[in-house]
Amino acid sequence: MTRIDRKFATLKAEGKKAFVAYIMAGDPDHATSLALMKGLPDAGVDIIELGLPFTDPMADGPTIQLAGQRALDAGQTLEKTLEMARAFRAANDETPIVLMGYYNPIYNRGVERFLSDARAAGIDGLIVVDLPPEEDEELCIPAQEAGLNFIRLATPTTDDARLPRVLQNTSGFVYYVSITGITGAAEPRGADVAPDVARIKAQTDLPVVVGFGIRTAKMAQTMAGVSDGAVVGSAIVKQIEQGKSVRQVLAYVKDLAAGAHRG
């Protein structure tokens, strides 16, 4: 079992839903993002999604795009992102870390070297949004063999014909994108999301967590109420963009986490 598997098993035994928080590594700078990352578990975060900055983030909305650019401008690299994970692991060996980003930086490092380094740094799973299931031999299967979960996204447009292919080599959990479009866009509705979550869960034993568009504790509670947990990214990153302190951002995260845990 990976840390992700153990976390969901523990939450299920406790009758709780998961709260997953995304931050961009190196935003607004390496030291600040590391301090924020270290504070997330005490704020109630069950799983950390750590964004890997990239110059061409095609699936991300303006908030995440700007965060990536701030991080790159501050000198963040793949190596420094792995350093963040290693520094986090020095004090926390339990909270799962999912590295989320695009394939290009991984390809440039070399898949075998990247997977070895990621595992050694304490990374537990990967979300690589520009590698479809047809490319599973490229990274997904090698990642699983290296002991890392490979997490896939399902969307409202993932129909019953496509869904089995999406789920085929997925592990850890399924990330259900509650709305069509880019990150941080429209607001999701529980009545719309629930049937699709049920449809996915009918075809897999994996937990299904819901993300995109969640900005408040009430929204987190609603989305967790119809799934196995809620993911918040753009709304947290927006706090950083607005210049909030680490303490202020963590207070916001704590409120969101409390909402998800009530789901």
Side-chain angles (χ1 to χ4, degrees):
M1 292 181 75
T2 65
R3 288 187 187 92
I4 296 171
D5 298 328
R6 289 196 296 272
K7 176 60 70 175
F8 276 107
T10 299
L11 289 168
K12 185 176 182 179
E14 295 173 350
K16 291 173 64 178
K17 302 300 180 71
F19 181 63
V20 184
Y22 171 99
I23 61 170
M24 177 67 73
D27 175 37
D29 56 67
H30 186 87
T32 303
S33 64
L34 178 57
L36 180 57
M37 184 182 182
K38 288 180 174 180
L40 291 175
D42 285 342
V45 173
D46 299 301
I47 298 172
I48 296 170
E49 284 184 7
L50 188 61
L52 180 60
F54 180 52
T55 53
D56 189 23
M58 66 190 92
D60 294 315
T63 299
I64 302 295
Q65 287 188 25
L66 289 170
Q69 194 58 56
R70 287 192 299 271
L72 292 170
D73 289 345
Q76 191 72 11
T77 61
L78 173 54
E79 180 56 40
K80 287 185 177 180
T81 301
L82 295 176
E83 284 177 15
M84 279 184 65
R86 288 191 289 268
F88 178 86
R89 283 280 173 248
N92 184 316
D93 194 46
E94 294 184 3
T95 304
I97 304 171
V98 175
L99 196 62
M100 183 171 186
Y102 296 83
Y103 184 48
N104 186 272
I106 296 170
Y107 177 81
N108 284 342
R109 192 178 187 88
V111 168
E112 186 175 347
R113 179 188 173 197
F114 166 77
L115 292 174
S116 176
D117 291 348
R119 181 71 187 271
I123 300 296
D124 303 291
L126 304 174
I127 300 176
V128 183
V129 297
D130 55 345
L131 277 183
E134 287 74 18
E135 305 296 335
D136 275 357
E137 295 287 345
E138 191 78 23
L139 180 64
C140 172
I141 292 173
Q144 311 262 34
E145 291 173 347
L148 297 173
N149 289 129
F150 200 89
I151 296 143
R152 287 246 190 256
L153 278 65
T155 75
T157 60
T158 307
D159 61 22
D160 289 336
R162 178 66 174 168
L163 185 59
R165 187 65 182 268
V166 170
L167 297 174
Q168 184 175 6
N169 291 314
T170 299
S171 64
F173 62 91
V174 179
Y175 185 145
Y176 179 67
V177 177
S178 60
I179 52 176
T180 55
I182 54 175
T183 57
E187 181 175 318
R189 296 174 63 248
D192 296 332
V193 171
D196 275 334
V197 171
R199 182 168 61 89
I200 295 167
K201 290 181 75 67
Q203 297 199 38
T204 181
D205 293 329
L206 292 172
V208 179
V209 300
V210 176
F212 278 48
I214 301 172
R215 302 180 182 88
T216 67
K218 183 172 179 57
M219 292 170 69
Q221 180 178 356
T222 298
M223 291 301 110
V226 298
S227 68
D228 297 300
V231 187
V232 179
S234 293
I236 296 171
V237 172
K238 193 71 176 178
Q239 298 278 308
I240 299 167
E241 179 185 318
Q242 292 170 352
K244 302 288 180 65
S245 68
V246 169
R247 180 184 58 79
Q248 289 172 315
V249 176
L250 290 175
Y252 176 69
V253 169
K254 187 174 183 178
D255 186 52
L256 292 168
H261 290 150
R262 289 193 297 268

